[in-house]
């Protein structure tokens, strides 16, 4: 058996306007995920830990990876940069021994909001529907995309989502009987 060192990823979280004084670094997480959920080549040995200075390092990655991060409520992912390249929505291939260093993950408090109401042809609220939000650009219709949302309306037929990335155009449809997945 030929053993190979899996990839590693390291970088720093940044906040527009600087990190808030009451923010605990453990509330910010780097969460890589497989770009293809059916792939058997994704590996992560342990989740990366966030240090007190908002830096992180994770090891044990292998495969085609989407770089993702989460922050406390009220903060939204703005971008992920590797050098001059924006890799926020671009899968990164981690081959054995690959080290991706100096990622900059930027969070913002500025977020888009999309809201509406689902009504039937008589104007009555529809509560048993699923609202699907997706961009015109079908290249962004992939597993783990930040550009896709599914929502359930409340008892008045209203729905709302925040933090969709800016795109040229989004489409919104309401369907009944949508299959999981």
């Amino acid at each position: 058996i030929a053993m190979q060192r899996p990839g590693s990823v390291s970088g720093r979280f940044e906040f527009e306007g600087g990190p808030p004084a009451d923010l605990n670094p453990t509330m910010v997480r780097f969460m890589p995920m497989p770009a293809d959920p059916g792939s058997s080549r994704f590996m992560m040995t342990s989740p990366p830990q966030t240090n007190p200075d908002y830096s992180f390092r994770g090891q044990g990655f292998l495969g085609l990876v989407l770089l993702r991060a989460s922050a406390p409520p009220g903060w939204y992912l703005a971008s992920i940069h590797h050098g001059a390249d924006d890799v926020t929505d671009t899968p990164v291939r981690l081959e054995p021994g690959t080290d991706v260093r100096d990622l900059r993950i930027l969070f913002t408090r500025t977020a888009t909001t999309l809201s509406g109401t689902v009504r039937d042809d008589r104007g009555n609220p529809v509560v048993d529907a699923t609202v699907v939000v997706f961009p015109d650009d079908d290249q962004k219709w992939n597993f783990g995309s930040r550009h896709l949302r599914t929502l359930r309306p409340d008892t008045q037929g209203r729905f709302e989502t925040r933090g969709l990335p800016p795109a040229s155009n989004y489409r919104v449809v309401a369907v009944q009987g949508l299959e999981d997945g």
Side-chain angles (χ1 to χ4, degrees):
I1 297 174
M3 301 298 288
Q4 295 179 321
R5 184 175 61 86
S8 70
V9 178
S10 61
R12 170 180 289 318
F13 294 110
E14 299 175 359
F15 299 83
E16 286 182 349
D22 62 342
L23 182 62
N24 183 333
T26 61
M27 299 172 72
V28 184
R29 298 187 49 94
F30 174 67
M31 306 176 318
M33 61 187 294
D36 176 5
S39 173
S40 61
R41 282 204 23 102
F42 177 75
M43 181 176 78
M44 179 172 69
T45 56
S46 62
Q49 300 298 310
T50 303
N51 299 313
D53 66 351
Y54 295 100
S55 66
F56 64 87
R57 178 174 173 78
Q59 296 179 327
F61 301 109
L62 180 65
L64 193 58
V65 176
L66 281 171
L67 305 175
R68 293 290 178 254
S70 68
W75 288 94
Y76 302 92
L77 179 62
S79 64
I80 300 175
H81 280 85
H82 184 237
D85 298 326
D86 184 338
V87 295
T88 312
D89 296 305
T90 305
V92 175
R93 183 166 302 283
L94 296 177
E95 296 296 339
T98 302
D99 291 317
V100 176
R101 297 181 183 162
D102 300 321
L103 283 180
R104 287 183 12 256
I105 300 177
L106 178 64
F107 292 106
T108 181
R109 286 192 182 265
T110 305
T112 60
T113 301
L114 174 72
S115 62
T117 304
V118 181
R119 299 196 181 277
D120 63 19
D121 56 353
R122 292 185 296 269
N124 298 317
V126 176
V127 298
D128 64 341
T130 300
V131 177
V132 181
V133 180
F134 58 98
D136 275 344
D137 181 358
D138 64 358
Q139 295 298 306
K140 294 177 178 155
W141 300 355
N142 52 33
F143 177 76
S145 175
R146 302 176 312 127
H147 299 265
L148 301 174
R149 299 284 165 86
T150 57
L151 312 163
R152 298 288 296 187
D154 65 15
T155 57
Q156 300 300 310
R158 294 182 301 239
F159 64 90
E160 179 177 294
T161 187
R162 295 180 52 88
L164 280 166
S168 56
N169 288 303
Y170 280 95
R171 296 181 185 257
V172 181
V173 297
V175 295
Q176 292 178 296
L178 183 66
E179 292 181 31
D180 286 342

